[in-house]
Amino acid sequence: MKIKLELFELKNLLIEAATLGAEAAEKRRAPASDRISQREVCRWLKSLGHKPSLLQELKREHNVKGERNGTGRNSPMMYSRLEIEAALAAYKSFDSVNNL
């Protein structure tokens, strides 16, 4: 099976891959900086032009996993920035390849 990509799409995929690599390096260097709260994730997704409900969709499809920041029922849910960025990049790549 041959896949044809426009040069522009290929460039964007490579930029996204490099960004994910940088995020992975940052996570190894300072693991605490990779963790963001559910509220921050929703703000971040909104700033990227996505609906905040995208987080629930990513969780439902098991593409991201949240963890409580404590043992209490009201402890904030924390997510990995790298995991979310990887899921978003996968969706973009999937759309680029399947829209050919």
Side-chain angles (χ1 to χ4, degrees):
M1 171 168 86
K2 275 190 171 180
I3 297 176
K4 289 186 178 183
L5 287 175
E6 295 287 327
L7 186 58
F8 177 75
E9 292 170 332
L10 180 60
K11 177 191 68 122
N12 286 340
L13 291 174
L14 291 172
I15 288 172
E16 289 172 11
T19 301
L20 288 175
E23 285 287 333
E26 179 64 20
K27 182 177 180 176
R28 278 193 304 270
R29 189 186 68 74
S33 69
D34 181 59
R35 296 172 47 88
I36 58 175
S37 70
Q38 183 169 332
R39 180 178 289 187
E40 290 170 325
V41 171
C42 290
R43 277 192 217 132
W44 178 44
L45 290 173
K46 193 173 179 181
S47 74
L48 293 175
H50 300 289
K51 292 182 179 179
S53 62
L54 178 60
L55 176 62
Q56 300 308 317
E57 183 180 331
L58 293 173
K59 285 175 35 179
R60 187 176 56 251
E61 294 176 357
H62 305 288
N63 291 321
V64 297
K65 180 182 168 192
E67 295 178 355
R68 293 244 177 244
N69 196 22
T71 58
R73 196 175 73 191
N74 292 333
S75 298
M77 288 294 288
M78 302 298 283
Y79 297 89
S80 166
R81 182 185 304 267
L82 174 62
E83 194 174 69
I84 293 169
E85 282 201 30
L88 292 175
Y91 277 124
K92 287 179 189 175
S93 300
F94 187 74
D95 286 344
S96 294
V97 170
N98 285 328
N99 288 332
L100 298 175

